[in-house]
Amino acid sequence: MGYISRLSSSGQAEYITTDVLQFIAKAWRAIADSNLTIDVQNSDDHGERLVVSGDRGALQAVLPYWLCLDEMNLAPVEQYFADYLSVLETREWDWDEDTFIYSSDALLKPATISAVADTDKLRVDLGFELPDYDDLWQLICQYGLAIPFNLMVAGTVNMDETTHGFSRKVIDRALSFDFGEFFPNDYDTFFAPTSHNKSLGYPIWSQARKDDLANTCDADGSQTLAFLSAVNTVLKTTPFELAYRALNELLLAVVSTQPQDELTLKAVWDDFMMCKVLPRIEGDSDKLSA
């Protein structure tokens, strides 16, 4: 994410930006260039912080920015990515019909920005030097640089004796996909591919609500709650029991998929088990047994 250095000839504080922080700033510029509103809102839960507001239609014009971290477990993720993992849980979507308000805590804190001697240089380094971003830059200086809603972080990992395993803190905040089988493996379609890439967007929910489940085959969420309760019964007395975060993630998966039959609903549960539950279970027989 970057750091403050005093190694310049003047000895004054300078913020050293990274490719990642510059990429996050680029995602913010994409939001600023859209028809959405960036402002400040004061709430009892979070105090004053930057918010983005607008309608559902305007979201379609904001491109997602995919940050890919290759071989991300060559170093412990929960150490070098600690700030992001912490702020990640502060993202919040508030929908009212087709209008929304999105907010997040700051990754680059305003106190850090104010400690920099030359904020104009920091502004240029982050790509906000154009006059079009004057207002946005002033807001960032005052309230910090938050996680933009159009930022998606993905990473590749290899699990062997040369890499670090994932802590439960990381797995609880991520979706783990195990590609045990090489894909694609149909050599006959090498020169004439028959598959097409799917367009992927960004999530627009932070908290599952019963109303969001109304058009699914689990309209009140009772089946999903019973499923996760059954999983926790099996995990009882082990360190791997699932808390409210897991329940919210599973309900959001149901909302996103909108299953219309029991088979599709169970497929959502299966994916959740593979992505969120099984990767966090590890240890010897004493740790895994009740």
Side-chain angles (χ1 to χ4, degrees), residues 15 83 86-87 105-115 140-145:
Y15 196 88
D83 289 346
S86 296
V87 175
D105 281 356
L107 276 172
L108 180 58
K109 308 296 184 186
T112 303
I113 297 175
S114 64
I140 290 172
C141 288
Q142 192 169 356
Y143 300 100
L145 187 70

Side-chain angles (χ1 to χ4, degrees), residues 163-236:
T163 60
H164 295 268
F166 283 151
S167 67
R168 289 199 294 276
K169 175 181 179 180
V170 174
I171 294 173
D172 283 351
R173 291 160 175 78
L175 293 171
S176 303
F177 297 93
D178 183 6
F179 293 93
E181 180 181 351
F182 176 73
F183 180 83
N185 56 7
D186 186 357
Y187 291 163
D188 294 334
T189 62
F190 182 79
F191 293 111
T194 57
S195 62
H196 299 280
N197 294 331
K198 291 184 178 180
S199 298
L200 297 177
Y202 33 80
I204 57 173
W205 298 287
S206 55
Q207 188 73 28
R209 301 178 305 175
K210 187 177 290 187
D211 292 346
D212 299 325
L213 298 166
N215 295 322
T216 72
C217 63
D218 189 14
D220 58 358
S222 59
Q223 297 181 67
T224 300
L225 267 64
F227 165 74
L228 206 60
S229 296
V231 172
N232 259 352
T233 299
V234 176
L235 297 176
K236 199 73 175 176

Side-chain angles (χ1 to χ4, degrees), residues 12-33:
Q12 293 182 316
E14 177 185 3
Y15 196 88
I16 308 300
T17 61
T18 62
D19 290 343
V20 169
L21 195 62
Q22 292 165 14
F23 189 76
I24 292 173
K26 187 177 181 180
W28 266 110
R29 293 199 301 274
I31 296 175
D33 294 339

Side-chain angles (χ1 to χ4, degrees), residues 14 25-26 42 44 58 69 117 119 140 165 172 179 203 206 254 257 286:
E14 177 185 3
K26 187 177 181 180
N42 191 3
D44 295 336
L69 304 175
T119 55
I140 290 172
D172 283 351
F179 293 93
S206 55
V254 176
T257 308
D286 291 336

